Amino acid sequence: MGKLYKLLASDHCFSSILAILILLQTCSPAAGLTDLDWRLASSKYAQGVVSNETAFHGANCADLAVEKKGTTVRIYIDLDEPMALEEIEGISMWVNPELGDGKIQIELFLDGDGSGSYKSKDPQDARIRSLSRSWSELGFSAGQWNMLDASALEYEKYGDKKSPHGSLEDFKGWLEGQEVVRLYITLYKDSNAPVTSALFDYIRIGDEIISFEPLEEEDVKAGPRSASAGGKITYTITYGNNGFQPVDLIVQEYYDPRTVFI
C-alpha cells in the first residue's frame, strides 16, 4: 500500500506554499525508473504492444509481431542524456521467440558534434547497426526467455560500404568521442511463416534498464512549478526496484525549514 502524507505550512512559510501532499508509491520488483524514453511501432501489418503475458521481469513486456505482408516491427529508444559510446559497458536484452524464425538487428545513432542529436546529413554523426541474425542463428529456444548480448554481435557502419565490420568494442575505438542518442531494436519477419512474433523485456543499455513497467514513464519527482497563496501543491515521488529481488527501501525527502507538520 502507498503512503499519503499531508503537510501544512506555518503562517511564516512561503506565501505561495500553504500545503504539500507527498504520495509515495510502493516499492515493487516490477517497477523501475529509467532515463530512456521508448515507444513501440505499429503499422497495418505489424504491431508492438505492451503485454502482461509471460514477462521476464515484472508484469509487462514488449510484444512485437509482423504479419506475412509486413516487413519489420521496431522498438524505438531515445536517451534523455547522451551516453558516450566508449563508456557503455554493455547492451543486452531478453528475447522470447514465439512464431517464425525472425531476425533481430540493433541500431545505434551517434552524435559526433555535441549537438545532442543525430542528423543523417551531418558528417560528424554516425549510425552503426548489427548484422541481422535470426534466433535460430543465435541459438535461441522458442517459448523461452533467452539473453541476447548485443555487445557480442558484429556491426557495420550504415551507408559506408568501405568501412570494415567489427565488434561493438571495435567501434568504441573507431568512433571514440561519439555519444549514443538513439537506439532501434528491429524484428524482421520470417518469409516462410505467416506471422513472426517475439517478446522483449529487460533491455539494458549501460546502467539504464527498460522493463516496460508503468512507473518507468514517470518522473522521479513531479509537481507544479508555482502555486497561489492559500492553495495546495501536490508532489508525487515515484520509486521502484528494477532488480530481481525485493529490497528494503527508505525514501528521504527534504522540505523548507519553515514547513511544519499538523
Side-chain angles (χ1 to χ4, degrees), residues 128-155:
I128 63 175
R129 63 184 184 183
S130 68
L131 304 185
S132 59
R133 292 287 182 267
S134 67
W135 39 73
S136 62
E137 293 174 318
L138 293 167
F140 287 178
S141 299
Q144 299 180 18
W145 285 103
N146 305 263
M147 201 273 278
L148 171 59
D149 181 4
S151 304
L153 299 176
E154 186 176 7
Y155 287 78

Side-chain angles (χ1 to χ4, degrees), residues 17-262:
I17 303 177
L18 293 186
I20 301 175
L21 296 177
I22 303 294
L23 176 63
L24 299 181
Q25 300 198 17
T26 57
C27 175
S28 165
L33 297 173
T34 179
D35 288 327
L36 307 174
D37 293 326
W38 56 268
R39 65 184 179 91
L40 307 178
S42 292
S43 63
K44 186 176 181 179
Y45 299 111
Q47 68 173 1
V49 298
V50 175
S51 171
N52 59 3
E53 297 181 8
T54 62
F56 174 77
H57 183 278
N60 300 282
C61 61
D63 187 350
L64 305 185
V66 191
E67 297 179 14
K68 190 172 184 179
K69 292 184 179 181
T71 55
T72 64
V73 63
R74 182 173 288 154
I75 301 173
Y76 297 88
I77 301 173
D78 289 300
L79 281 64
D80 287 346
E81 295 292 335
M83 294 184 185
L85 178 62
E86 64 269 20
E87 294 179 3
I88 295 180
E89 292 298 325
I91 301 174
S92 64
M93 65 202 70
W94 288 82
V95 184
N96 186 341
E98 294 185 304
L99 300 172
D101 188 19
K103 292 186 175 182
I104 300 173
Q105 184 175 69
I106 314 298
E107 292 183 83
L108 301 176
F109 295 78
L110 307 171
D111 169 32
D113 59 6
S115 67
S117 62
Y118 165 83
K119 298 180 178 63
S120 59
K121 295 183 179 180
D122 191 330
Q124 297 185 67
D125 295 349
R127 177 180 172 186
I128 63 175
R129 63 184 184 183
S130 68
L131 304 185
S132 59
R133 292 287 182 267
S134 67
W135 39 73
S136 62
E137 293 174 318
L138 293 167
F140 287 178
S141 299
Q144 299 180 18
W145 285 103
N146 305 263
M147 201 273 278
L148 171 59
D149 181 4
S151 304
L153 299 176
E154 186 176 7
Y155 287 78
E156 64 181 358
K157 190 174 182 182
Y158 180 81
D160 187 353
K161 295 182 179 180
K162 295 181 180 180
S163 178
H165 293 179
S167 66
L168 190 59
E169 288 299 319
D170 291 331
F171 275 96
K172 286 182 180 181
W174 298 338
L175 299 175
E176 185 176 1
Q178 299 257 4
E179 294 186 316
V180 180
V181 295
R182 187 186 311 156
L183 184 143
Y184 289 171
I185 301 170
T186 304
L187 172 62
Y188 292 87
K189 72 167 185 179
D190 177 359
S191 59
N192 296 317
V195 177
T196 303
S197 64
L199 304 176
F200 290 76
D201 204 359
Y202 210 71
I203 300 170
R204 181 188 291 271
I205 305 173
D207 294 330
E208 299 290 342
I209 297 170
I210 296 175
S211 55
F212 301 99
E213 300 306 314
L215 289 181
E216 290 182 345
E217 297 183 331
E218 302 292 336
D219 293 330
V220 173
K221 180 178 179 179
R225 295 182 178 180
S226 62
S228 59
K232 292 183 178 180
I233 294 180
T234 299
Y235 288 106
T236 301
I237 298 178
T238 308
Y239 60 93
N241 172 21
N242 229 336
F244 295 108
Q245 299 295 330
V247 296
D248 293 327
L249 185 65
I250 296 175
V251 175
Q252 187 172 14
E253 176 60 28
Y254 297 93
Y255 313 106
D256 184 274
R258 291 167 291 182
T259 301
V260 297
F261 289 87
I262 296 178

